[in-house]
Amino acid sequence: MIPRNNRIATIGLLIALGSLAVVAAAEDDPDAIVKYRQGVMKAQGGLMTAMSQVVRGKVKNRDDDFKAFAQALTSTTRDIPSMFPEGSDFGETDALEKIWEDWDAFKKAANKADTEAAALLKASESGDDKAIQKAFKDMSEACKGCHKEFRAEEE
Amino acid sequence: MDRRVLAILHVFACVPLSSSAAIAGQSDLAQRGERVFRAAGCAACHTDEDNDGAFLAGGRAMETPFGTFYTPNITPDPEFGIGDWSEAELTRALTHGISPDGENYYPAFPYTAYTKMHRDDITALKAYLDTVPPVSQSNRNHELPWYLSYRPLVMAWNWLNFTPGKYLDDPARSEQWNRGAYLAEALSHCGECHTPRDFTGGLDSDMTNAGTTAGPEGETVPNITSDRDTGIGKWSEDDIAYYLETGMDPGGDYAGSLMAEVIDEGLSQLGKDDLAALARYVKSIPPVHNPVKKRKRSKRGEFD
C-alpha cells in the first residue's frame, strides 16, 4: 500500500513527464528544422536535376530511374508545410515572413508540389513521353510558383 | 486556307497563352511588340500582382534604398494610362526618361537600359501596348524623402549616371551574341538588378553583373558573371537557357521572388532562339570575383 502523499507525488511526476513529452513532440530545435527542410529541398533539387536531363533528351534509357525518382519525390513533397513551424524564420533561411503571415496561401502553394509529384509519377508509369514532359513542366512550375511568393532570391 | 486563319493558327502555335494572350487577329507588328514587351519585363513591375491588380495598371510598390516607388498605369486608358501618348512621346520616355509633360522620371524606371532599344522595337511595342485592355486607375504618388521630390535632382543624376544612345552591334562578335547582348542590355536590363550601385544609385561599372546584397526590395541578387567560384562560370550555355525558360538552375533549385517573376512574366515566353542568344551573351560576361553573402537573421521575426 503506497502512502497517499507518495501517490500524489507519483501523479505529479507522471503529469510532469507527460507534459515534457508533449513539449518535446511540439518543439523542434528551430535551427535544426531549417537544416532539415533544406536537406529535403536539396534532395528534391537533386531528383529534379537528374530527371531534367532525361526530359531534355540529354540522358537516355533511364525510364526505371525516372520512375523511382518520381516515386521519391512523392515522399519528399508529402507535407512541405509541416517543415515550416512558427518560429523557424531565422538563421540561414531564405524563407520569407509571408509564409507565416499568409499561411493558407503558403499551404496551398506548397501542397501543389505534392499534387504535381503524384501526377508526375503517374505519367512516368504511363511511359508516354508527351505526358511526362507536361507533368515535369507542371512539377517545375509548382516549385517555382512557391519560391516566387515565399522564398527570397538565392545567392 | 486564307492567310488570316494561318496567322491565327500561327499565334496559337507559337505564343504561350497567358493572361495577356495575343488577341486572335492581332497585327503582326503588335505580335512582334509583345515579344519586345516580354523581353523588356514590363509586366513584372507595371502589374500589382500581389494585390491582384489589373494587367499593366501599375500601383506596384518598389522598395528601394531611396524610398518607395509606385509604378504607373501603362494601359491605353487615355486619362490615367498612356492611351493618348504619341509614339514620339513613348520613345522619349523610354530612351530619355522624360514624360510627355517634360518631367524627368526617376531611374527606378530603367530608361538607362531602354535607351539602347532599336526604334522599330519601340514602334512594335507601342502597337502591342495599344491592344491591352485599358484600365481606369489613377497613379499613386511615390513615397520619397523630401529632397528627392526635387526633380531637377534627377537631371544631375542623369549627368552622372546616364548615357543615352542606341545599342550598337559589336562587329567582332557573332550575330547571335549581338542579339543576346541587345536582349540583355537594352530590353531585359539584367544589369539593373545584378550590378551593385554606388552611393548615388548609379551602377558600379567595374562590378557589372557581379551581384549585390542591396538589390530591389532589399533582395540579395546573385553574381551572374562567368566567375567559376562566385558567379555562374560552371553553368553551360544550355543550363543558362534552361534556367531562363523554367527557373531551374543546374542544382535543381528554383528561382525565387523577383527572378521568378521576371521568368514568368517575360523570359519564359521568349522562344528558343532568343533564349539561346541570351545564354550565349551571359556566358561571355567577364568574370568578377564577388561572393554575395546571404543575409542571416539572428533573431526570430527579424526580417530586413
Side-chain angles (χ1 to χ4, degrees):
Chain A
M1 183 80 184
I2 305 166
R4 190 165 178 279
N5 275 353
N6 286 2
R7 287 188 202 186
I8 291 169
T10 309
I11 288 166
L13 188 69
L14 283 172
I15 290 170
L17 280 173
S19 59
L20 249 180
V22 169
V23 169
E27 281 287 332
D28 294 312
D29 170 352
D31 254 350
I33 196 77
V34 169
K35 287 194 175 78
Y36 179 93
R37 71 189 176 220
Q38 285 176 350
V40 174
M41 293 287 174
K42 269 209 179 63
Q44 289 172 174
L47 294 166
M48 291 298 283
T49 295
M51 286 191 284
S52 76
Q53 308 305 321
V54 177
V55 169
R56 288 153 80 185
K58 293 169 169 294
V59 169
K60 295 186 172 45
N61 306 325
R62 288 277 173 179
D63 292 355
D64 290 347
D65 283 1
F66 196 94
K67 262 181 260 182
F69 297 165
Q71 177 76 55
L73 210 52
T74 61
S75 308
T76 57
T77 54
R78 205 170 43 86
D79 189 4
I80 291 175
S82 70
M83 300 190 294
F84 291 84
E86 282 277 0
S88 65
D89 61 350
F90 71 97
E92 298 283 352
T93 182
D94 286 327
L96 294 176
E97 198 179 6
K98 208 173 151 191
I99 289 175
W100 296 279
E101 285 173 347
D102 199 350
W103 182 254
D104 287 348
F106 171 66
K107 233 171 115 160
K108 200 172 145 198
N111 285 332
K112 202 163 167 38
D114 182 31
T115 317
E116 300 299 359
L120 181 61
L121 178 59
K122 219 174 133 186
S124 67
E125 282 164 347
S126 78
D128 172 6
D129 278 349
K130 264 217 165 70
I132 291 170
Q133 296 265 4
K134 184 186 176 307
F136 187 81
K137 190 168 187 292
D138 292 345
M139 184 74 234
S140 227
E141 288 296 326
C143 302
K144 175 158 54 74
C146 193
H147 284 199
K148 181 175 170 180
E149 299 294 331
F150 302 103
R151 197 198 67 174
E153 178 80 86
E154 57 194 338
E155 22 182 319
Chain B
M1 228 184 311
D2 82 36
R3 282 188 49 176
R4 263 195 19 226
V5 177
L6 271 177
I8 291 167
L9 284 176
H10 181 80
V11 170
F12 284 106
C14 302
V15 182
L17 294 173
S18 65
S19 58
S20 66
I23 300 146
Q26 208 180 40
S27 71
D28 284 355
L29 188 65
Q31 275 178 53
R32 250 198 48 219
E34 182 167 13
R35 269 181 64 192
V36 173
F37 169 85
R38 292 291 164 201
C42 318
C45 289
H46 286 280
T47 305
D48 188 11
E49 215 182 292
D50 274 0
N51 302 306
D52 300 318
F55 184 63
L56 301 189
R60 185 207 165 121
M62 301 279 293
E63 286 163 29
T64 76
F66 300 94
T68 302
F69 295 91
Y70 292 94
T71 56
N73 180 338
I74 57 166
T75 70
D77 183 78
E79 190 183 357
F80 298 117
I82 59 172
D84 60 351
W85 288 24
S86 67
E87 191 180 314
E89 286 171 329
L90 179 66
T91 303
R92 190 164 69 144
L94 288 167
T95 61
H96 288 81
I98 295 172
S99 78
D101 299 336
E103 286 212 313
N104 285 83
Y105 289 116
Y106 290 102
F109 167 54
Y111 59 88
T112 42
Y114 297 153
T115 191
K116 298 183 177 186
M117 282 174 79
H118 298 317
R119 296 304 173 263
D120 54 355
D121 272 355
I122 296 179
T123 307
L125 177 63
K126 174 129 180 46
Y128 168 72
L129 287 174
D130 287 342
T131 67
V132 172
V135 179
S136 176
Q137 177 182 305
S138 63
N139 289 330
R140 194 169 161 179
N141 289 331
H142 303 316
E143 288 162 14
L144 303 173
W146 61 270
Y147 57 87
L148 280 186
S149 59
Y150 185 61
R151 291 237 173 181
L153 206 65
V154 181
M155 289 159 94
W157 188 93
N158 282 341
W159 185 67
L160 284 172
N161 299 311
F162 174 47
T163 315
K166 287 179 210 175
Y167 176 80
L168 297 171
D169 275 356
D170 177 349
R173 303 272 197 167
S174 69
E175 193 183 329
Q176 189 191 34
W177 185 92
N178 276 300
R179 173 68 185 162
Y182 173 75
L183 284 165
E185 293 178 11
L187 300 181
S188 306
H189 56 279
C190 320
E192 293 287 324
C193 290
H194 286 275
T195 303
R197 293 173 182 272
D198 61 20
F199 74 96
T200 69
L203 297 176
D204 178 352
S205 57
D206 294 342
M207 296 286 282
T208 299
N209 291 314
T212 171
T213 50
E217 302 184 3
E219 288 263 345
T220 297
V221 188
N223 180 336
I224 54 167
T225 71
S226 53
D227 185 66
R228 290 185 67 83
D229 294 329
T230 61
I232 55 172
K234 290 176 181 156
W235 296 27
S236 70
E237 271 181 43
D238 204 40
D239 288 337
I240 297 169
Y242 190 71
Y243 174 81
L244 297 175
E245 184 189 358
T246 65
M248 183 175 127
D249 75 16
D253 195 354
Y254 279 84
S257 88
L258 293 175
M259 192 63 198
E261 270 180 53
V262 169
I263 290 167
D264 282 353
E265 295 297 334
L267 300 179
S268 60
Q269 299 170 48
L270 286 192
K272 297 270 182 243
D273 291 355
D274 278 349
L275 287 171
L278 257 176
R280 160 93 11 136
Y281 167 80
V282 171
K283 184 76 190 161
S284 77
I285 295 172
V288 178
H289 186 86
N290 181 41
V292 180
K293 286 214 174 20
K294 242 195 190 124
R295 300 164 307 168
K296 191 172 170 178
R297 302 188 194 103
S298 50
K299 285 210 298 286
R300 289 182 190 213
E302 188 190 78
F303 283 87
D304 38 12

